[in-house]
Every structure is written in C-alpha cells, then in structure tokens.
Amino acid sequence: MNALNKPAIELAAAIRSGEISAVSAVEARLSEIATRDAEIAAFVQVLNEEALAAATSVDDRVATGEDPGPLAGVPIALKDNLCTRGIPTTCCSRILEGWKPPYEATVVSRLRNAGAVVVGKTNLDEFAMGSSTENSAFGTTRNPHDLSCVPGGSSGGSAAAVAAGFTPLALGSDTGGSIRQPAALCGVVGVKPTYGRVSRYGLIAFASSLDQIGPFATSVADAATLLEVIGGHDPADSTSIPEAMPSLSECLGRGVEGMRIGLVAELCDGVSSDVARRVSEASEALAGGGATVEEVSVPASRFGLSAYYLIAPAEASSNLARYDGVRYGMRTESSNAVEMNIATRTAGFGEEVKRRIMLGTFALSAGYYDAYYGKALKVRTLIIEDFNRAYEHFDALIAPTSPTTAFEIGSRTDDPLEMYLSDVCTVPSSLAGHPAMSVPFGSGDVNENNICLPVGVQVLAPAMGEETMFRVGAFLESVAVNVAESVAREALTSEALTSRDG
Amino acid sequence: MADRNIALLPEGWEAVLGLEVHAELLTETKLFSASPNRFGGDPNTHIDPVSLGLPGTLPVVNRHAVELAIRVGLSLNCDVRPSTFARKNYFYPDMPKNYQISQYEDPINADGFLELPSGKRIGIVRAHLEEDTGKSTHVGGGGRIHEAGFSLIDYNRAGVPLIEIVSAPDLRSSDEAKEYVAELRAILVTIGATDGKMEEGSLRVDANISVRRVGDELGVRCEVKNVNSLRSLGRAIDYEARRQVKLLEEGGAVTQETRHWNEDEGKTHSLRSKEGETDYRYFLEPDLVPLVPDERWIEEIRGALPTLPAERRRRLASARETASTKGEMYGEADLSAIATIVARDQDELALGAISAGADTQLVFKHILNNLAEGTGKLDISAFAELLTAEAAGNISASQAKTILADLVANGGDAAAAMEARASDTTDAGELETLLEELIAQHSDEWQRFCEGEQKLQGFFVGQIMKATKGRADGQATAKLLAQRMM
Amino acid sequence: MNENSDSARISEEAVAHVAHLARLRVTPEEQKMFSQQLSSVLGYGKAMEALNLDDVPPTSHPYPLNNVLRDDEISAGSSRDEVLDVAPVAQDNQFRVPPVLEQT
Ligand SMILES: [Mg+2]
Ligand SMILES: [Zn+2]
C-alpha cells in the first residue's frame, strides 16, 4: 500500500510524527480525484486551494511542535448538504446553486479542529431524497465497482469517494438509510449514529426527526475515530444528546464472545439470495466468535417503510418551504410575491423533491392528518417498543443493509415506490432513532457486467449503544473480505503517485 | 359598567368579544437565536443565520423568554404546564422559514383569568410563546398594494419572542374590551414582560367579535385585525358589532372571516373567509424538545413577582375603607378613582398619606385632580402634612393646591412651603378692590347672580383666582361674594 | 377535502390543491402522474391499517429530552452584507420581492 493511502488513523499518526507531510498526503488525493473522478463523479466541488492551505497549516503546526489533532492532515469529503462557510453548499439542487453559507456546520468545525482537511463536497440525491444519487441536479454518481451501477444514496458521492480511494474518510447524512445503503453498495463502512449523537447544526434539513450525520470509512476503526471527532453534545442543536461521546476505538478489539445477537427476521424478507447468503454467513461467523445468535422478530419493523414515507415527507414539506426565492438561492421573477414563490419552486426543485413535498403536504393537510401522519407517528411508537423488546434479549441485532447489491443506473427511476423499497432494511432503526452501521461483508453473485458487487451487513444497537455496535462491526470486518480496500488498492497500483515522503 | 355600550346596539342585542393580544417580550435576544431583540434599528442588522431561517440552522429556546412567559401565566392566574412547540405552515415573505414556530396543542399557560377594575373576571384560555415575523414595506406603484411596485423586507423583528394571550369570549362591550386591554397591559408592564407600546407594535390586539340577541347561543364571529390603539379597538368593535346586528336584522347571516380595520374610513373590510383560510398543517416542531418547567422554578418566579394592579387596588380600597371615619359607601366612581391612582403608580403615595393620618377624601381629591401630571419631588410625609393642615382649616383648599404644586416642583417639607405661601396670601382689602372691579366689568353676570343664579358664584371665584394667580383663598372669596350681594 | 382513507388515493384535484399549498405548479400531465405515484405510495402504506393503534401514543422525537434552553445573551450574528450579498435581489439594505398581495 502506498504510504499516502494509509487508513485515516495511520495517516494521521504519520503526519503528526512528521514522517509524512499533510500537504503531500492531500496533494496525492487531489491528483487522484483529478484523474479519476471524471468517470465516477463523486464530487460536485473539489477544494484544491482550500485543502492545500489547510494541509499547510497542519504541517506548520506539526513543525512548531503542536498537535493538530487526531485527524491531522487526513483528507475528508463532505456531502454537499453540510454547510461550509463561504464555500458553496447546494444539496445538489438548482434552488440552492451557488449558495455560500455565512456559517459553518458544527461537524465541519469539529473536523477542522481535529486537523482533518476538507478536499471537496460530494454529490447527493437532491436534498438527500433518494437511494441512488440519480436525483442530483448536477449529474449521477457511478459506483466505483461497476460504473454502470448506482453507488446507492442519498450519500452516494461520499460513499463512492471512499470506495474509489479518493479520501479515506467522508461524511454523509442518513435519514432513512442514506449512509448505510450506499456504504453497502460501495463496499465501505457507513455509520448512522443514535439520533442526537451528532449535531445537526449546519446539516441542511431533510426530515429533522430522522436526519443524522455519520462517517464513511474504509475500516471500522477509522469510522470510530471519525465519529469520536464529530460526535458529542452541541448547544446549537436542541435535540443533541448531552452525554459525552464514549471512546469507540477502545472497544473494537474485544470480539463478540458471550454477546447475544439477534438476526431480524422481518428485515430478511424478500432480500436477494446473494445478500441473504452473506447475512447468514455473518451470523455463523458471529456464532463462531462465541456469540449466541438467534433469529428474532421485530414485528412492527414491517411497517417501517410505510411510516417512513409519511413522516419524512411531512417534515420535508415544511423544511423545504424556506426555499422561496426571497432570501437566498434561486429566484424566477414574477408579477407578485406568491407567483414568484411558485415559479421559483417549480423551476428550482427536481421531480423527486416535488413528489415528496406533495406527499408530505398531503399527509399533514386538514382532514388527512390523522389517517396518515398521525397514524405513522403511532407506528413509530410500535417500532420503538418492538425494538426495545428485542433488546431485552439481545445486545445487538444484525440484518441486511440493502435488499440487493448495487443496481443498474436508470433501472428504478420509473417507479418511485420501487426505489423507496431500497430503504426497507434501514428505515426501521431510523424511525427508532437507534444507531446502525453497515459493514462490508463479501460480495454478491456475479452481475451482467461480470462483476461481483459488495454486500453490506447491518449491525443495529439500542439507543446510545454505539460501543456494542462498533464491537460487533469490528468483529464482522475482521472476518470479511474487505471489498472496498481491494478495489481501492487496485486503483492505486495503477496510478503513478508522486510523493515527497514515500 | 358592562352595560354602558349596549346602548350602541339596538335593544335586545349584545356583543360577545374575545381578544387575542400579542405582546413582544422584553428579552435581550430573540426567542430561538442570539441576535438582539430591539425595536427599530437599521434594516437587517438584528439578524443571524437562525433568525433568517438559513438552511441548516436550528432553533434553541431562550430561557428568559420562557421565564417571562411563566410570569405572564402566573400573573393571569393560569396553570403553568408542560408545553411543546409546533410549526404553523404558511407562506409569507416576511416569515423566514415559511412556518412560524408557535405553541399549539400544549401551551405553556392555560385556564386563567384577569380581574377588571370592576371586579369582573375575564377568562384567559391560554397564553403561549411564539416567534414574531419580519416586516415588509410596499414601495412604488402609487402606494396602492394592488398596483405594481415591490416590497422590501426587513427581518429585524423576525424571531422576536411573543406571548399570545387569548381571552375567553367574556367581554360584552367596547369599553369593557378597552378596560381589559388596559388592565392586561398594566399587568404585563408591571411584571416586566413587555414595554406595552401599542404604537410601536409591541402590544397588538386582534378582536373576535360576534353579536347575539340577549340569551341566545353564541353567534358567528369575525376576527378583526389591524387595531393599533385602544381608541381604534373601541371604534372597530362598535362598528363591527353594529354591522353584524344590521346584517342579522335584515335577515342576512354573518360569515366567519378575518376582517381588516381601516382607521381612516372607520370601517372593517373582509380579508379572507373561513373557506379561503390557509390550511396551517400544524405538527410538532421536530427541532425542539418539550418544556417541562419544574415546580421549584415556577415557585421561584412566583416569589419574585411584583404586586399586581388588582392587588394594589384591593389594598388601596381597603386602606380607604379602614381609614374612613364617616362610614361612606363607595360606589363605581370610587372604583375608577382607585384604578386611576394605581394605573398612575400613585397608590404608594395614597397609602402612605392615609397611614400617616391624612384625610382619605382629601388624599383622593388631590391625587386625582392635582397630580395627573405626576408627583415630581413630592414626598409622602410632606403630602400628608399638607393635607392635615388643610383638614384642620389652617390653609384653604386653593392654598393647599398651590402649595402642592410647589412641593411637586421643588420638594421639601410642607411646613416651609406653607410658611412661604402664607405671606403671599391676598388680604381682605385687596380682595374687595378686585371684586369691585369685577362687578363693574361683568355687571350683567352680577345682576343674574344677585337674582339667584347660584352657579355664577363659580364664575366670580374663578375670575378672582385668575387675577390673583391662585393666591386668593376660595372660601374667603365666597364669603365676600355673599356679603357683597346682600 | 373529505377524509377518504378507504381508497388511499390522491385524486388529481387533490394533487392540484396540495401543489397550491406547497407553492408548486403542476402541469396536467404531472397532475396525473403525481396522482398515480402518490396513490401507489399511500396504497403501500395501507398495510398500517391492519394495526390497532387506538391506545398507542404518537412519537415525534425519537430521543426524549426536555428543557433545552439557552441563556439570553447576544452573540455575534451575521453581517448584513454577508446575508444581502447572496439575496436574489436586495435594495436599501432590504430583501426586495415583487409586491406582496394579501394572502388568499
Ligand atoms: Mg391567533
Ligand atoms: Zn399568534
């Protein structure tokens, strides 16, 4: 492995010790992006100058004996729904094209304080609404494992950036699976923390009661370090959990001996056979590692998707009302204010966003609230209760992350419901606010393009159960073939990398 | 008092009124963000990413706003309850997020009452927290909103904390409605919740107005907006109630709608009907968590409340009752006198003078008649001393008035002021000379006075006072008049 | 609009009404398309009707917290220029919009 393409933790250690420079590490990633991102389109914006300036200042701090932090000089990619001060943040929507936030998201400040170097903003389904990154106003991101396939979504750009070896780390946001599903489809680690673990301040809202920011990484250990950096209480977010972030890195090597792990029956229903096979291999591996593994029923999780596709659009319909052409973003002029609002929104939002705004507006409207939104909130209660019942007997649960491996670009765009079904395994824990992560676990059957695409196994834990979840995740990783790493390595060996240090 | 205004409606009809009062809370910062809560200022200077509703921003509740809301609730005898915030969704350019964060299903305060000076209790349905909007100004197009031109928006006011106080439909006349607002305002100002400036919009009133034949069920109501003073509140209610009665008497029906008061025309106009009303799609604000104020906090706030006007009126009434030696019965006029003194913040003076032994009638008379402009440098003991001298007949009423003005202007004790004035008092000879001149100038009036037109006594006393710049003793003058007439 | 949870359908008229509430314009073709698509999503959700939810309380916040309050202290906001620079149209230090008519 090239010295400059180390996992994040090792890279930071090498930079902190002065063994390699942050500038050379960042330059290597930028040149990688410049040569290969044209075909993958993970990034909507690459911040060459800003990244090199930040890397220089990391090196300066190292030179003066300061510690720039646990992610010193580590290149990171940010989903373009995270506000970066003075740097365009668009949610991949025409309506916000070119908008420069006058403030920084809490996670971004924390990354900078930890020494991480933001190298670019990544593609997403417009306003994070989608499961394939095909709904972006700025083009479709391709799966680095098979360019004819989607990377998943909505954080497809971040997942692809890590899978392609552009950055060892990336941030995404997960509302109903938008980190975990693309992580699975791209063969990287993706984590959705407990709702409230990571500040949402500066994350452009899709559905406020569900949105969580979380890491993408090539390893569970890197993901743990990144979550430690971005997590913990933030007074700017009223829903931020006051408890301090525990040390996740410490619990990674502990194995699963004596743990009780449940395989969620409902979430295995209807998944493709190759995915199902990997999930059952994962349970066997856990049993082999000394855990008790049993099938468990979480009955209400069957209604997760139904509740999710009312709750998320309802909140979104309200969150997206602010894009009206008055204060920022796009405007389409018209004769009066109302007509201007209508013209702007009609021209500025893509079809999927409109669909969800209308669905959510309908679910909340007079005469329909009880039958739709109100009912979904009650189903949400049942899902939480059923999960909590399962956690009386199990420390953690496992399930598939996605019902299938990555699918062909364009294959699910005609039928919204079919696309929504991509989230069926991930939405229940989103509704519960529980943490869940996807860990790459081998690959699926060979597809039409003669490629075996990655499979992700999902690890679920009760609220605040990140330590348990990471312990299980790290164990699964240790027994799995790390598809992402092998792909990234292949890509790297084909490139001639210039480096000062290595 | 409640019947005063019914006279304005035809026999057998009554108005049923409920008021929604929005008051801006006196905080340093906005309800959900740390930008300043200040009136006016250069446009768009009291802003921050949160108050502008920029993408990705989140609200965090201002503790002091909650405390002020609890003060309001306790002062209005409400239950202070666990509460939640909701989003009220509708598009309007001066509302940054196109939803207003307000309390909907679970308001912080509910089920209280306000006691009017008359003693009548007006139910308070709820008093909840919400955020204010910005302001838009229409420019160009000849100033008419329906013509072309454009609007300019200033978000300085966006996010300012409001308390919305909703009364039960317990008010029955425009006068009662005005009393309610005046009393509510006095309470809110006393507890430091708001500055109560209607002209700056920090206190805004919407009136729900319906009429019915006395004894009937509640009628259909209209909500009247844009009343910017107590006076226009009264006018708007009277106009609207009469409009509705006329409509009903002609066999028509009142449509539930929002109406706009036009001050210049003195009329209300329909803004939108119930059917055209926005579907607000309320739902719980997912960016905020519930407020569950604990008992200790509530009791701490209760303990720190100042004495409220109703209690101060009770104190003054009972002090007057107790001190009264003549066993007078006090009626409605007296209630309004007490209300006036409390409203002017002169009840401490009255109570002090009464407890120092001053005659209660004199205390009331002087405060009401001679201290409307304020008490200046007057101190309580000087006031009491002066009134004691007057009661003993040592000085005349008009002398007392003059000396009181002196004490207000210059302070000091009463004895010194009385001494200084004693030397100025006009002697009887001077009075006689003056009176001769007056009779010569006003021989007609004098003739009528001598023929028994008793009220002309006031005319001559007044003229003498004028000539002596108030130095003359009124009683001595009256005596002189009587002597001269015979 | 009447409650009509039986058929879980959003008619084309309902789509038009909802679009107006949401300040969106839909063409007749889109009206038809959205009516079909949204009806199919709601139809999928009909499964929830099998559940007895009478005594189930709703959950709006997944993680229960109370009384999150901040001190009433001014902190540096945004500069007006920073905000007006990105405004679609600004004039006299304000946000300019076409005439605001009374809402209907
Ligand atoms: Mg109201
Ligand atoms: Zn209000």
Side-chain angles (χ1 to χ4, degrees):
Chain A
M1 188 188 295
N2 186 291
L4 297 175
N5 195 32
K6 291 171 187 290
I9 303 169
E10 288 170 42
L11 183 62
I15 291 169
R16 284 159 103 179
S17 70
E19 187 192 317
I20 52 179
S21 75
V23 166
S24 61
V26 168
E27 273 175 343
R29 300 298 90 213
L30 289 173
S31 92
E32 195 64 17
I33 294 165
T35 32
R36 291 198 293 121
D37 195 43
E39 58 180 11
I40 293 171
F43 288 90
V44 289
Q45 197 184 173
V46 180
L47 303 166
N48 291 293
E49 280 170 35
E50 292 89 339
L52 288 171
T56 305
S57 100
V58 168
D59 286 336
D60 289 349
R61 291 173 69 187
V62 172
T64 59
E66 273 181 72
D67 181 0
L71 294 177
V74 177
I76 187 163
L78 303 178
K79 188 178 184 179
D80 202 26
N81 59 355
L82 294 167
C83 286
T84 40
R85 183 168 196 146
I87 295 167
T89 301
T90 68
C91 284
C92 292
S93 179
R94 293 269 171 233
I95 214 157
L96 266 183
E97 196 167 356
W99 179 62
K100 292 178 183 170
Y103 74 102
E104 195 114 279
T106 298
V107 291
V108 178
S109 307
R110 288 186 181 178
L111 284 176
R112 296 194 199 281
N113 291 339
V117 175
V118 176
V119 298
K121 307 291 292 280
T122 60
N123 200 15
L124 63 143
D125 286 298
E126 184 179 359
F127 283 102
M129 296 177 186
S131 311
S132 67
T133 319
E134 290 165 289
N135 297 331
S136 165
F138 308 130
T140 299
T141 298
R142 293 165 184 275
N143 192 312
H145 299 272
D146 180 346
L147 297 177
S148 67
C149 287
V150 302
S154 64
S155 313
S158 285
V162 174
F166 293 151
T167 52
L169 299 175
L171 286 185
S173 66
D174 188 311
T175 306
S178 282
I179 291 174
R180 291 162 286 163
Q181 185 256 15
L185 269 49
C186 289
V188 297
V189 175
V191 182
K192 183 204 92 76
T194 303
Y195 180 82
R197 261 298 192 211
V198 179
S199 170
R200 292 184 293 118
Y201 191 78
L203 165 65
I204 299 182
F206 161 15
S208 312
S209 80
L210 296 156
D211 295 343
Q212 267 299 283
I213 298 168
F216 285 100
T218 52
S219 72
V220 172
D222 277 2
T225 301
L226 178 50
L227 182 52
E228 286 165 1
V229 166
I230 61 169
H233 184 245
D234 177 15
D237 175 356
S238 303
T239 63
S240 168
I241 295 172
E243 279 78 13
M245 192 76 207
S247 165
L248 301 171
S249 307
E250 272 172 26
C251 56
L252 297 178
R254 291 186 191 155
V256 292
E257 175 96 57
M259 287 182 90
R260 302 161 305 164
I261 292 167
L263 174 63
V264 185
E266 288 80 4
L267 301 186
C268 295
D269 272 0
V271 305
S272 66
S273 58
D274 52 350
V275 172
R277 196 162 53 243
R278 293 300 179 198
V279 174
S280 83
E281 283 169 19
S283 8
E284 280 157 28
L286 289 164
T292 336
V293 186
E294 277 170 49
E295 200 177 272
V296 60
S297 175
V298 182
S301 66
R302 278 190 291 129
F303 303 100
L305 202 71
S306 306
Y308 175 83
Y309 275 97
L310 293 168
I311 293 171
E315 292 182 13
S317 70
S318 173
N319 283 330
L320 271 62
R322 70 192 65 197
Y323 307 104
D324 61 0
V326 175
R327 291 159 299 277
Y328 43 78
M330 201 184 103
R331 172 186 296 186
T332 302
E333 282 299 350
S334 201
S335 59
N336 65 60
V338 171
E339 287 304 314
M340 183 276 284
N341 293 158
I342 293 173
T344 300
R345 291 165 62 79
T346 302
F349 289 135
E351 188 182 302
E352 181 60 27
V353 172
K354 288 179 188 166
R355 189 155 36 238
R356 298 211 196 179
I357 289 175
M358 287 203 282
L359 185 55
T361 304
F362 177 76
L364 288 173
S365 66
Y368 293 96
Y369 180 100
D370 291 339
Y372 293 105
Y373 183 70
K375 193 165 283 175
L377 294 183
K378 291 179 166 195
V379 169
R380 191 172 191 178
T381 306
L382 292 185
I383 291 172
I384 294 172
E385 286 172 355
D386 284 358
F387 268 122
N388 288 344
R389 213 165 286 131
Y391 287 123
E392 286 170 15
H393 305 285
F394 298 96
D395 302 305
L397 304 175
I398 60 165
T401 306
S402 162
T404 66
T405 56
F407 44 91
E408 287 280 315
I409 289 169
S411 63
R412 293 184 189 173
T413 41
D414 290 342
D415 181 359
L417 182 57
E418 199 191 336
M419 185 68 87
Y420 297 173
L421 287 166
S422 316
D423 301 333
V424 72
C425 302
T426 47
V427 291
S429 47
S430 295
L431 289 165
H434 293 166
M437 71 193 288
S438 183
V439 179
F441 204 84
S443 53
D445 295 342
V446 64
N447 74 1
E448 299 115 70
N449 305 319
N450 236 355
I451 296 170
C452 295
L453 289 167
V455 169
V457 169
Q458 195 180 187
V459 183
L460 297 79
M464 309 291 274
E466 274 87 355
E467 286 162 287
T468 311
M469 179 176 82
F470 270 87
R471 206 175 136 189
V472 176
F475 176 82
L476 286 175
E477 177 184 53
S478 71
V479 295
V481 180
N482 194 327
V483 181
E485 202 179 49
S486 66
V487 169
R489 198 178 305 128
E490 267 165 41
L492 281 168
T493 47
S494 69
E495 299 290 327
L497 285 169
T498 51
S499 133
R500 276 171 226 164
D501 304 291
Chain B
M1 199 180 317
D3 298 332
R4 258 188 329 226
N5 241 64
I6 286 191
L8 289 165
L9 295 181
E11 186 66 35
W13 288 91
E14 69 175 353
V16 177
L17 312 166
L19 300 184
E20 286 174 23
V21 173
H22 286 83
E24 289 180 350
L25 295 174
L26 276 177
T27 54
E28 283 299 309
T29 65
K30 293 185 176 175
L31 182 50
F32 300 120
S33 75
S35 51
N37 166 18
R38 272 184 217 130
F39 178 74
D42 258 12
N44 295 303
T45 50
H46 305 158
I47 53 166
D48 63 279
V50 180
S51 62
L52 281 176
L54 296 189
T57 58
L58 296 170
V60 185
V61 180
N62 181 337
R63 185 194 314 277
H64 191 51
V66 175
E67 182 176 331
L68 292 179
I70 294 173
R71 277 194 217 169
V72 172
L74 295 174
S75 308
L76 297 175
N77 309 291
C78 292
D79 294 338
V80 177
R81 302 175 170 187
S83 63
T84 54
F85 290 94
R87 291 187 186 177
K88 181 180 184 180
N89 294 286
Y90 64 102
F91 282 82
Y92 212 72
D94 59 14
M95 196 166 56
K97 304 180 292 296
N98 286 320
Y99 56 80
Q100 180 196 30
I101 305 178
S102 178
Q103 297 195 304
Y104 181 56
E105 280 188 336
D106 318 291
I108 184 162
N109 305 300
D111 285 343
F113 65 86
L114 173 149
E115 194 182 304
L116 293 179
S118 66
K120 179 173 173 178
R121 284 182 175 187
I122 305 303
I124 300 294
V125 178
R126 56 192 283 150
H128 70 253
L129 277 164
E130 63 184 28
E131 57 179 340
D132 209 342
T133 61
K135 280 180 180 168
S136 46
T137 318
H138 188 74
V139 181
R144 298 289 303 212
I145 204 150
H146 293 286
E147 291 162 35
F150 54 89
S151 298
L152 293 178
I153 309 173
D154 169 14
Y155 290 104
N156 279 351
R157 200 181 67 179
V160 163
L162 294 174
I163 185 113
E164 178 177 340
I165 301 151
V166 181
S167 86
D170 291 345
L171 299 159
R172 292 290 175 272
S173 71
S174 56
D175 282 339
E176 210 169 68
K178 287 193 280 185
E179 272 164 38
Y180 168 83
V181 174
E183 179 66 11
L184 179 58
R185 185 182 169 283
I187 292 170
L188 297 179
V189 171
T190 301
I191 62 174
T194 183
D195 64 19
K197 294 177 183 166
M198 284 187 88
E199 66 283 6
E200 285 184 4
S202 55
L203 196 84
R204 309 196 279 271
V205 184
D206 299 329
N208 285 303
I209 303 169
S210 67
V211 296
R212 64 176 171 192
R213 287 183 204 274
V214 177
D216 275 7
E217 303 271 280
L218 285 180
V220 176
R221 67 191 162 85
C222 292
E223 184 174 5
V224 175
K225 293 190 176 285
N226 193 45
V227 286
N228 299 318
S229 66
L230 281 186
R231 187 172 166 269
S232 51
L233 174 67
R235 290 179 70 206
I237 289 171
D238 290 337
Y239 172 85
E240 179 60 21
R242 271 178 256 145
R243 184 190 73 86
Q244 292 182 13
V245 168
K246 185 158 180 276
L247 201 61
L248 293 170
E249 282 193 327
E250 286 166 357
V254 177
T255 336
Q256 186 171 340
E257 60 186 354
T258 305
R259 299 180 68 86
H260 181 93
W261 168 248
N262 185 316
E263 181 71 31
D264 299 333
E265 295 174 20
K267 288 178 179 170
T268 63
H269 293 283
S270 178
L271 269 187
R272 51 181 174 267
S273 68
K274 175 88 165 109
E275 289 70 48
E277 216 137 77
T278 321
D279 175 354
Y280 291 121
R281 289 160 283 135
Y282 282 102
F283 71 103
L284 271 192
E285 165 58 280
D287 289 330
L288 292 171
V289 301
L291 290 177
V292 188
D294 63 42
E295 247 349 271
R296 238 186 66 194
W297 193 26
I298 296 173
E299 288 317 309
E300 221 174 85
I301 294 170
R302 194 194 302 277
L305 282 177
T307 311
L308 298 177
E311 176 57 25
R312 285 161 59 185
R313 286 194 300 266
R314 256 191 298 280
R315 271 188 208 173
L316 185 54
S318 101
R320 178 169 188 177
E321 215 65 56
T322 316
S324 167
T325 47
K326 298 167 196 153
E328 299 102 325
M329 293 294 291
Y330 298 113
E332 212 171 74
D334 190 66
L335 284 177
S336 98
I338 286 173
T340 304
I341 292 169
V342 170
R344 283 199 215 142
D345 259 336
Q346 292 168 341
D347 47 328
E348 286 298 322
L349 176 70
L351 287 170
I354 291 169
S355 76
D359 178 77
T360 54
Q361 299 280 26
L362 286 179
V363 170
F364 270 57
K365 186 190 81 179
H366 279 291
I367 292 182
L368 289 169
N369 300 338
N370 304 328
L371 295 175
E373 306 300 321
T375 54
K377 294 182 176 166
L378 176 66
D379 93 18
I380 295 177
S381 61
F383 184 53
E385 200 185 335
L386 177 72
L387 270 47
T388 305
E390 183 185 348
N394 299 342
I395 52 170
S396 69
S398 70
Q399 285 171 323
K401 182 180 167 180
T402 311
I403 296 164
L404 182 57
D406 191 35
L407 290 170
V408 167
N410 307 311
D413 68 63
M418 288 189 279
E419 187 117 348
R421 282 286 166 181
S423 55
D424 299 341
T425 307
T426 333
D427 61 32
E430 192 189 338
L431 268 184
E432 247 163 307
T433 321
L434 273 171
L435 188 58
E436 283 311 321
E437 288 170 20
L438 274 176
I439 290 171
Q441 279 166 28
H442 302 282
S443 53
D444 228 38
E445 284 83 355
W446 181 248
Q447 188 62 38
R448 276 156 52 206
F449 178 56
C450 293
E451 282 161 17
E453 203 171 321
Q454 195 52 39
K455 68 175 186 204
L456 283 167
Q457 176 176 315
F459 170 78
F460 286 104
V461 174
Q463 289 291 324
I464 296 231
M465 287 300 171
K466 198 173 147 197
T468 60
K469 297 194 167 60
R471 283 178 295 118
D473 179 327
Q475 276 171 6
T477 309
K479 209 180 281 173
L480 191 65
L481 276 170
Q483 285 163 3
R484 186 69 178 71
M485 191 167 67
M486 288 188 288
Chain C
M1 294 196 333
N2 300 311
E3 172 144 352
N4 194 359
S5 57
D6 270 0
S7 63
R9 255 193 62 82
I10 307 185
S11 66
E12 289 177 37
E13 296 72 56
V15 166
H17 173 71
V18 163
H20 178 73
L21 281 177
R23 294 286 186 266
L24 292 169
R25 195 184 328 278
V26 284
T27 63
E29 298 79 61
E30 284 173 324
Q31 213 168 305
K32 194 170 197 170
M33 174 188 77
F34 284 132
S35 165
Q36 282 162 4
Q37 292 173 339
L38 300 187
S39 296
S40 115
V41 175
L42 292 178
Y44 179 85
K46 273 191 69 171
M48 293 194 302
E49 281 168 20
L51 295 165
N52 179 2
L53 298 169
D54 292 349
D55 300 321
V56 180
T59 297
S60 291
H61 288 92
Y63 194 88
L65 293 172
N66 283 331
N67 296 330
V68 176
L69 300 167
R70 71 181 165 81
D71 291 338
D72 186 21
E73 282 159 15
I74 296 172
S75 77
S78 288
S79 82
R80 176 167 69 189
D81 293 346
E82 200 169 21
V83 168
L84 287 172
D85 275 354
V86 301
V89 188
Q91 180 178 322
D92 301 338
N93 293 322
Q94 303 193 58
F95 295 84
R96 179 178 156 159
V97 293
V100 177
L101 308 181
E102 203 33 69
Q103 220 174 4
T104 47

